[in-house]
Amino acid sequence: KNEVEQSPQNLTAQEGEFITINCSYSVGISALHWLQQHPGGGIVSLFMLSSGKKKHGRLIATINIQEKHSSLHITASHPRDSAVYICAAITLTGTASKLTFGTGTRLQVTL
Amino acid sequence: NAGVTQTPKFQVLKTGQSMTLQCAQDMNHNSMYWYRQDPGMGLRLIYYSASEGTTDKGEVPNGYNVSRLNKREFSLRLESAAPSQTSVYFCASSWWDFYNEQFFGPGTRLTVL
């Protein structure tokens, strides 16, 4: 079992729908990244957060470190949001950091 | 600014051959990373370099070597390629450490026959 689990694995939505992608982790973490991988393969960083909520345009990310859960929300979804969304948790082992990735949620937004 | 560049984009090797994947960034970042991405497994860290002159093993370092040539460049070498190393390889960089935004290169698709 991965230390970082994402759900759902695949998601299809109609344009305009509100979308939620979940990320849960089984170990203590200090922060978490959300990434977007475009259909062509390119990866961009969306958010890094260690507490609370961050918003950028139609994207909102929330995290509850104690409950070991983070969510990525997309409001008023659009076909251009179709991509794979990946969460990555930062764990601390002694003085060393480790970055563990989820396997991604594939989102398809249709007209 | 080009951001993070990787060469080559595609490569086919035979088992036992060697090759070096090149990565360069022009953002004056201190940290650089090499990842591999395999279907169903997500991204996994191979090696990283927190600063010029230092390198550290990640989750899956076996079969690879790295060189942080200078602040801009971080190369990944496969000394004797194996079919298990068939993957897509991404280089990334960040200002300081894992807590900073990472900027990814376009990836190299490597097939080992």
Side-chain angles (χ1 to χ4, degrees), chain B residues 45-84:
Chain B
L45 182 64
I46 305 170
Y47 270 96
Y48 65 101
S49 171
S51 61
E52 187 179 351
T54 67
T55 60
D56 286 288
K57 293 179 181 178
E59 185 182 351
V60 288
N62 290 346
Y64 304 95
N65 287 303
V66 289
S67 295
R68 183 75 182 267
L69 304 168
N70 48 55
K71 194 170 186 180
R72 290 187 64 247
E73 298 172 289
F74 188 38
S75 62
L76 179 72
R77 183 159 177 84
L78 286 70
E79 290 290 352
S80 179
S84 60

Side-chain angles (χ1 to χ4, degrees), chain A residues 14-28:
Chain A
Q14 284 198 312
E15 184 178 11
E17 284 187 13
F18 181 85
I19 288 162
T20 296
I21 297 169
N22 297 299
C23 178
S24 60
Y25 39 91
S26 56
V27 295

Side-chain angles (χ1 to χ4, degrees), chain A residues 3 7-8 18 27 34 39 49 65 67 70 76 105 108 110:
Chain A
E3 290 179 334
S7 62
F18 181 85
V27 295
W34 280 101
L49 63 167
I65 290 279
E67 291 189 4
S70 176
T105 294
Q108 180 76 35
T110 59

Side-chain angles (χ1 to χ4, degrees), chain B residues 11-19 78-86 110-113:
Chain B
Q11 184 72 48
V12 179
L13 293 177
K14 293 181 181 176
T15 297
Q17 287 185 316
S18 62
M19 79 160 295
L78 286 70
E79 290 290 352
S80 179
S84 60
Q85 293 178 305
T86 294
L110 175 67
T111 301
V112 183
L113 302 174

Side-chain angles (χ1 to χ4, degrees), chain A residues 28-108:
Chain A
I29 73 166
S30 53
L32 184 138
H33 289 269
W34 280 101
L35 309 169
Q36 179 191 53
Q37 185 165 25
H38 297 294
I43 301 173
V44 296
S45 180
L46 298 175
F47 297 102
M48 196 287 293
L49 63 167
S50 56
S51 65
K53 180 165 89 171
K54 285 191 176 180
K55 184 174 188 291
H56 186 255
R58 294 178 297 105
L59 300 176
I60 304 165
T62 64
I63 191 168
N64 186 318
I65 290 279
Q66 288 76 22
E67 291 189 4
K68 295 186 168 57
H69 184 265
S70 176
S71 293
L72 177 69
H73 305 285
I74 305 175
T75 62
S77 60
H78 189 276
R80 64 174 174 268
D81 297 325
S82 298
V84 176
Y85 292 84
I86 302 167
C87 65
I90 303 171
T91 56
L92 280 174
T93 307
T95 56
S97 298
K98 177 182 162 184
L99 193 60
T100 304
F101 291 81
T103 54
T105 294
R106 185 175 300 276
L107 171 66
Q108 180 76 35

